[in-house]
């Protein structure tokens, strides 16, 4: 069998795609790079907003057309598959295999079923399953928990991914050991709410460390860089900031979604913290980590959000000075409390607020990135950038970074980089040697064309 997977959504979905791909390979499938080459296409879906749902709908429409012309098995997995909305779509577009986020290990049974297979249960075996490490990659994801015990009124995830289940520290460390043996240098610990690790259904699990202690444990493994996502401010404790400060491998990078700067809106979102409490967490983080890089998620145009509420989001942005933000227009999701109980605001109003927020975000990202110019950053280079002769990667603070290939440093690896130039979304620099001087660049094949497309030439 030739299998092709297409992934929408978050890093959790990327992790799950890798998990299912490794299962497919163990069942004898070849992984191929395009729909054209495949006889099994599996779409890993996201349901968090209307847009990713629309994308899946149109992809399934295309796949149905291909299916009418040649034999093709179509599968759908992930968050949308768990919802009635996704299942209706699956029926309409003649999807053969449907796997919810808790049923991924049913992929073998699905392949054997030779026809329609729907798996929608949340199965415990998934939490103990340790996928093989991705080969040839310096970065890896590591799921430490699945599901979510919060009930933010806008969010479909507790429905799609079920209640929180923490993985045992032994399984986590075992998976990490495999990743280290495969050459991984940066691991990102994943969960819907990593700060609540080890406290499932409100009760601490015997033998499970707190998230802060898990960071300390992972820090002793020898991995060079540790990142984590995502944190819920409600479960944030100062001990996490302390653990970050005392564990050298943990990067000074915190993604702490605020969603709104207005306590009134936060209450309606059922976020369980106020603006002041959020700012208190930021102050604690900055106390322990003065050079921390801060990122957030913000939803604009939540039902009932007034101009004053929105102004509070803008002023909170200034108070924190986030390095970056993921910004979303509120999207009413069927099945969520806010969809049921609140009226959606007009689209133009939401769009206009998003645009104003993007202006704010760009100002801060520009300022923050400009502050890196002249500094040496440790950059994990992944490989070729879009422009010929350049490599791309990211810093400990998650800044995307581009450098020219240099003599002795022409591929993936961890390198010190002297930052020479920045934009709101990118750092540009040169790899430096032990003497702190930039290594000589490798001459490009077509110097003129390359110079034109070189990001270093951009204003
Ligand atoms: N509408 C818009 N954005 C949403 N998010 C979650 N649900 C919605 C929704 N209904 C955003 C939140 C969350 C991120 C993953 O997606 O900001 O942190
Ligand atoms: Fe990830 Fe949430 Fe989308 Fe599911 S719904 S894929 S958990 S972002």
């Amino acid at each position: 069998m030739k299998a092709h997977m297409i992934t929408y959504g978050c890093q959790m979905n990327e992790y799950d795609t890798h998990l299912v791909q490794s299962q497919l390979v163990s069942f004898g499938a070849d992984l191929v790079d395009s729909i054209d080459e495949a006889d099994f296409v599996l779409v890993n879906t996201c349901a968090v907003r209307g847009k990713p749902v629309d994308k899946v709908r149109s992809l399934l429409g295309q796949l149905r057309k291909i299916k009418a012309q040649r034999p093709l098995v179509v599968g759908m997995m992930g968050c949308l598959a768990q919802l009635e909305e996704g299942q209706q779509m699956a029926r309409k577009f003649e999807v053969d295999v449907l796997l919810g986020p808790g049923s991924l290990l049913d992929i073998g049974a699905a392949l054997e079923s030779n026809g329609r297979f729907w798996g929608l249960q949340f199965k415990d075996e998934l939490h103990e399953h340790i996928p093989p490490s991705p080969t040839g990659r310096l970065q890896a994801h590591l799921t430490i928990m699945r599901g979510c015990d919060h009930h933010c009124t806008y969010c479909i995830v507790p429905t799609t991914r079920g209640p929180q289940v923490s993985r045992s520290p032994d399984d986590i460390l075992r998976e990490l050991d495999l990743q280290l043996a495969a050459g991984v240098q940066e691991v990102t610990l994943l969960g819907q709410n990593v700060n609540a690790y080890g406290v499932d259904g409100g009760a601490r699990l015997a033998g499970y460390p707190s998230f802060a202690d898990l960071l300390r444990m992972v820090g002793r493994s020898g991995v060079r860089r540790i990142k984590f996502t995502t944190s819920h401010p409600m479960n944030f404790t100062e001990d996490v900031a302390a653990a970050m400060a005392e564990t050298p491998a943990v990067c000074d990078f915190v993604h702490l979604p605020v969603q709104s700067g207005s306590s009134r809106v936060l209450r309606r979102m059922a976020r369980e913290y106020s603006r002041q409490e959020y700012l208190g967490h930021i102050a604690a983080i900055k106390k322990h980590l003065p050079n921390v890089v801060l990122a957030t998620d913000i939803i604009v145009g939540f039902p009932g959000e007034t101009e004053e509420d929105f102004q509070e989001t803008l002023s909170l942005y200034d108070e924190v000075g986030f390095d970056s933000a993921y910004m979303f227009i509120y999207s009413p999701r069927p099945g969520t409390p806010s969809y049921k109980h609140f009226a959606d605001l007009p689209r133009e109003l939401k769009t206009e607020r998003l645009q104003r927020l993007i202006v704010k975000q760009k100002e801060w990202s520009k300022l923050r990135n400009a502050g890196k110019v002249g500094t040496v950053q440790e950059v994990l280079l992944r490989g070729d950038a879009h422009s010929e002769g350049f490599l791309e990667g990211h810093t400990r603070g998650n800044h995307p970074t581009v450098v020219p290939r240099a003599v002795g440093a022409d591929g993936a690896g961890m390198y010190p980089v002297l930052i020479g130039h920045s934009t709101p979304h990118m750092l540009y620099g040169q790899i430096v040697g032990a003497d702190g001087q930039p290594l000589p660049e490798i001459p490009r094949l077509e110097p003129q064309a390359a110079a034109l497309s070189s990001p270093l030439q951009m204003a």
Side-chain angles (χ1 to χ4, degrees), residues 388-446:
E388 175 81 21
F390 288 84
L391 299 168
E392 66 181 6
H394 56 279
T395 65
R396 292 180 73 88
N398 247 13
H399 307 92
T401 308
V402 170
V403 299
R405 286 170 176 276
V407 175
D410 60 351
M414 189 93 80
Y415 296 105
V417 169
L418 174 64
I419 306 300
H421 176 70
S422 72
T423 67
H425 300 294
M426 195 68 80
L427 300 178
Y428 300 99
Q430 288 169 289
I431 301 172
V432 294
D435 58 358
Q437 294 304 308
L439 297 178
E441 286 181 30
I442 297 174
R444 268 152 261 149
L445 289 175
E446 296 163 76

Side-chain angles (χ1 to χ4, degrees), residues 55-367:
K55 283 188 187 158
V56 170
R57 186 179 293 107
S58 92
L59 177 61
L60 291 179
Q62 285 172 33
L63 292 172
R64 184 174 58 176
K65 278 191 199 145
I66 298 173
K67 242 179 116 158
Q69 288 154 10
R70 67 174 175 92
L72 179 70
V73 178
V74 175
M76 178 179 180
M77 61 179 258
C79 288
L80 187 56
Q82 195 67 31
L83 299 176
E84 182 51 39
E85 188 182 8
Q87 289 152 28
Q88 274 177 15
M89 235 181 250
R91 280 187 280 269
K92 177 170 171 196
F93 294 110
E94 296 157 31
V95 168
D96 308 284
V97 170
L98 194 88
L99 296 176
S103 285
L104 304 181
L105 293 179
D106 283 349
I107 184 72
L111 294 180
E112 276 167 18
S113 74
N114 225 353
R116 218 179 89 128
F117 182 96
W118 284 26
L120 294 167
Q121 288 155 344
F122 289 94
K123 297 197 172 167
D124 287 344
E125 69 213 42
L126 185 57
H127 309 296
E128 282 137 39
H129 179 78
I130 297 179
S133 296
T135 44
R137 291 191 44 198
L138 302 179
Q139 269 177 287
H141 295 135
L142 208 177
T143 288
I144 63 165
M145 63 216 289
R146 288 177 177 271
C148 182
D149 283 341
H150 283 279
H151 296 283
C152 305
T153 54
Y154 53 79
C155 191
I156 197 68
V157 173
T159 311
T160 61
R161 287 192 170 253
Q164 178 180 310
V165 181
S166 301
R167 287 180 80 198
S168 85
D170 288 349
D171 288 339
I172 293 170
L173 294 178
R174 219 171 303 146
E175 186 164 336
L176 180 63
D177 278 346
L178 290 179
Q179 294 181 343
L180 288 174
V184 165
Q185 300 199 17
E186 178 184 294
V187 66
T188 302
L189 307 179
L190 297 180
Q192 292 301 332
N193 175 12
V194 291
N195 290 300
Y197 173 78
V199 186
D200 296 353
R204 171 154 299 286
L205 301 167
Y208 281 58
S210 66
F211 179 60
D213 285 337
L214 184 73
L215 280 180
R216 294 179 174 106
M217 285 164 73
V218 173
R220 288 192 287 272
S221 69
V223 67
R224 283 183 71 177
R225 282 182 176 188
I226 304 163
K227 291 177 180 168
F228 55 88
T229 194
T230 248
S231 305
H232 191 303
M234 156 73 184
N235 301 94
F236 177 86
T237 60
E238 192 170 339
D239 195 26
V240 171
M244 291 177 72
E246 67 193 54
T247 310
V250 180
C251 296
D252 283 8
F253 172 72
V254 178
H255 176 229
L256 194 63
V258 65
Q259 313 298 2
S260 168
S262 153
S263 294
R264 197 185 74 86
V265 173
L266 290 170
R267 254 195 320 277
R268 287 163 62 85
M269 290 177 165
R271 288 290 286 176
E272 303 177 79
Y273 56 84
S274 65
R275 173 191 177 98
Q276 278 320 314
E277 281 164 334
Y278 183 87
L279 290 172
H281 294 322
I282 295 291
I285 294 169
K286 286 183 175 170
K287 184 179 94 188
H288 289 275
L289 306 159
N291 296 318
V292 69
V293 173
L294 289 166
T296 197
D297 291 355
I298 296 175
I299 298 176
V300 299
F302 186 75
E305 182 189 75
T306 62
E307 176 59 25
E308 290 70 36
D309 292 321
F310 179 63
Q311 288 291 342
E312 289 202 68
T313 296
L314 294 177
S315 73
L316 179 125
Y317 208 116
D318 284 332
E319 249 177 87
V320 177
F322 292 108
D323 291 74
S324 64
Y326 296 99
M327 297 158 287
F328 308 105
I329 282 181
Y330 169 73
S331 170
R333 301 301 302 127
T336 58
S338 63
Y339 174 86
K340 255 180 254 164
H341 301 300
F342 301 142
D344 197 10
L345 290 175
R347 173 117 211 133
E348 312 74 65
L349 186 92
K350 296 196 288 186
T351 312
E352 185 260 345
R353 284 186 188 159
L354 179 68
Q355 278 157 358
R356 283 156 67 199
L357 183 62
I358 290 174
V359 170
K360 172 76 64 198
Q361 175 265 324
K362 273 203 184 144
E363 278 168 15
W364 275 105
S365 296
K366 187 174 168 196
L367 193 78

